[in-house]
Amino acid sequence: MFVPLTKPDFGTTWEDARVYLRPTCFVDRPHELDEHCLRLADAMIWFAAWHVSLRDNDVIRSAVVPVAELDDWIAAMPSRLAEAARAQRAATARPRGALTLGARTVRLGEPQIMGILNVTPDSFSDGGKTIDEAAVIEAGFAMASAGAAIVDVGGESTRPGAPLVWEGDEVKRVENVVAALARGGTAVSIDTRKAAVMEAALAAGATIVNDISALRFDDRATEVVARAGCAVVLMHAPSAKSDPHEGGTYAHVLFDVYDMLAERVADCIAAGIDPAKIIVDPGIGFGKGVADNLALINGLALFHTLGCPLLFGASRKRLIGALDNEAPADQRLGGTVALHYQAATQGAQLLRVHDVAENRQALRVWRGLRDAALTA
C-alpha cells in the first residue's frame, strides 16, 4: 500500500522501517539550477529531487523532495534512518571512475556497451547460430569493432527451463573463445555461476565475472573472485539454485531487489572483494513478470544509491514481446534499443546487448543530446 509521506511522519517510532532515496526529476541543463540539482556520480546526469520512500512492512510512504530540502528531511528522521539516508546520498554522488580490465580501461562517465556472446546450443535468443568456435570468436571481435567495450562470453543458457550444464563442458565451450578474444586485445567478461569456470576463464584472460546468482550458486565463487581481484557483476535472481527463475514472488519488487543486492554487496565486501570492482544488475526477466520488470526499469535510478556501477540488460527479452503482440526474440531490436536508451537516461553505466552497432548508435545520439543541452 502506498500513502503520502510528510516530515511529521518521521516523529513516529519506526523499529523495522527502511528508507530509500531515488534520484528523480532529471534535468538537461544543470547550470541553470546551480545548487538546486545534483550530479549522479560522475555521469552526464543531473537530477533536481529525491523520491524518498519509507517502507514499514507492507506500507510504503513516499514523497518527492527537492535536493535543497533533503537535509531538513534527514534532520527529522530517527537517527538510524538518517544515517542510512546520508549513506545513500553519499553513495549516489561518489564517482564510479573506470574499470581497469587488463590492458584496457573502460571509463564509466558515459554508458558503455557489453556485447552478449553465447557459446551455447540453446540460448533463448541466438542459440545454435554461433556455436562453431571460430565463428564465435569472429563474432566477438566484430562486437568489439562495432563499439562493445566488453564482450560477455557465456557457455550455459539461463533461459527458463534450461538444463544445468556440467562445469567441464562449460569450460570447454568458453575457454578458447575467451583466450582468443583476450589475446586480441578485447576486454572479456565470463558469464557463469560456477567457480571452476570462473577460474578457467580468468586464467584464459577474462577480467570480469558476471554471475546471475550474485556469487550464491557456488560456495567457492566468492573466494575465487576475491583472490583474483577481478571485477564482478552481482545480478539479482530470486533463486541461487539451478533454476534462477524459481520463486519470483515480491512484496514490492523494486525494494525487494534493492535489499537483496545491498546485502550481497555488503557480504562481498566483507569477504574481501574490492568495493570499487563490484557492479550491480537488477536482473530484468529473471523470475519477474511484466509488471515487475516495468517497475524495476521505471525505478532504476534507485540502484545508484548502492554506490556501484549499474549494469542493465533487457536485450531481446520476453518483456518486449509481451508489450508488442508477442514479437519473437529476433524481432525485438526496437524494444531493446528503447529500453536501453531509457536505462541510459537514468544513469546506467553498462548496457548488455546482443545488437551492438544499433545500441551504440542510440548512445551516440544520447550523447549528442546531452552535449547540446550542456553547451547551448
Side-chain angles (χ1 to χ4, degrees):
M1 181 177 68
F2 287 87
V3 295
L5 174 67
T6 61
K7 275 193 289 186
D9 290 337
F10 289 122
T12 310
T13 300
W14 300 95
E15 294 183 357
D16 299 317
R18 295 190 179 192
V19 65
Y20 305 84
L21 304 185
R22 171 164 60 89
T24 191
C25 299
F26 294 100
V27 298
D28 294 326
R29 297 172 61 82
H31 48 286
E32 295 179 347
L33 296 177
D34 296 327
E35 74 275 7
H36 296 289
C37 68
L38 294 175
R39 189 176 186 180
L40 198 161
D42 46 356
M44 298 175 68
I45 304 285
W46 284 261
F47 59 98
W50 296 94
H51 191 276
V52 179
S53 295
L54 192 69
R55 184 183 190 182
D56 186 18
N57 296 318
D58 293 332
V59 178
I60 308 292
R61 292 174 168 83
S62 298
V64 175
V65 179
V67 296
E69 298 178 17
L70 186 64
D71 279 333
D72 291 340
W73 279 69
I74 290 176
M77 296 179 187
S79 58
R80 182 177 61 83
L81 295 182
E83 182 179 354
R86 291 190 190 98
Q88 290 179 31
R89 179 172 60 181
T92 302
R94 186 162 60 243
R96 303 301 186 254
L99 296 173
T100 301
L101 307 176
R104 300 292 299 273
T105 298
V106 176
R107 304 193 184 280
L108 302 177
E110 63 179 293
Q112 302 287 347
I113 287 180
M114 174 185 280
I116 301 169
L117 191 62
N118 292 317
V119 197
T120 62
D122 58 348
S123 166
F124 89 95
S125 176
D126 56 359
K129 292 183 180 178
T130 56
I131 194 63
D132 175 78
E133 190 172 276
V136 171
I137 294 168
E138 183 179 353
F141 283 126
M143 285 182 176
S145 297
I150 302 162
V151 174
D152 190 40
V153 178
E156 178 184 56
S157 174
T158 52
R159 62 179 172 79
L164 189 68
V165 175
W166 177 55
E167 60 188 22
D169 288 338
E170 193 175 338
V171 168
K172 289 179 183 177
R173 290 178 180 180
V174 302
E175 192 170 27
N176 290 340
V177 174
V178 170
L181 293 175
R183 282 196 305 270
T186 300
V188 181
S189 63
I190 180 64
D191 178 6
T192 187
R193 47 189 168 165
K194 303 183 186 76
V197 183
M198 295 175 193
E199 289 172 322
L202 291 168
T207 50
I208 304 178
V209 167
N210 181 13
D211 186 351
I212 64 166
S213 78
L215 303 182
R216 297 178 300 158
F217 177 80
D218 191 316
D219 291 341
R220 291 201 306 117
T222 302
E223 176 192 349
V224 168
V225 171
R227 184 174 65 248
C230 64
V232 62
V233 178
L234 305 177
M235 195 200 82
H236 175 275
S239 175
K241 299 177 182 177
S242 59
D243 182 0
H245 303 269
E246 195 175 78
T249 302
Y250 310 95
H252 189 288
V253 66
L254 179 62
F255 299 142
D256 289 349
V257 171
Y258 178 93
D259 288 344
M260 178 274 201
L261 288 174
E263 181 179 344
R264 291 305 300 142
V265 169
D267 289 347
C268 288
I269 293 172
I273 295 175
D274 183 350
K277 295 184 177 181
I278 297 175
I279 301 159
V280 295
D281 176 354
I284 300 299
F286 281 81
K288 304 170 183 78
V290 173
D292 296 327
N293 289 316
L294 293 174
L296 286 170
I297 295 166
N298 283 328
L300 194 64
L302 174 65
F303 295 97
H304 293 297
T305 65
L306 294 172
C308 303
L310 173 61
L311 184 150
F312 177 84
S315 186
R316 302 182 186 175
K317 290 202 172 177
R318 170 74 182 83
L319 166 66
I320 301 168
L323 295 175
D324 186 27
N325 201 30
E326 300 303 326
D330 62 356
Q331 296 178 30
R332 297 174 185 170
L333 176 58
T336 294
V337 172
L339 290 176
H340 288 83
Y341 192 97
Q342 171 70 4
T345 67
Q346 295 194 57
Q349 285 91 359
L350 293 166
L351 306 177
R352 185 176 181 270
V353 301
H354 297 86
D355 304 289
V356 173
E358 293 84 351
N359 284 275
R360 180 73 260 172
Q361 184 178 75
L363 289 181
R364 289 189 176 118
V365 172
W366 176 89
R367 175 62 190 264
L369 290 167
R370 300 303 302 167
D371 287 343
L374 292 170
T375 59

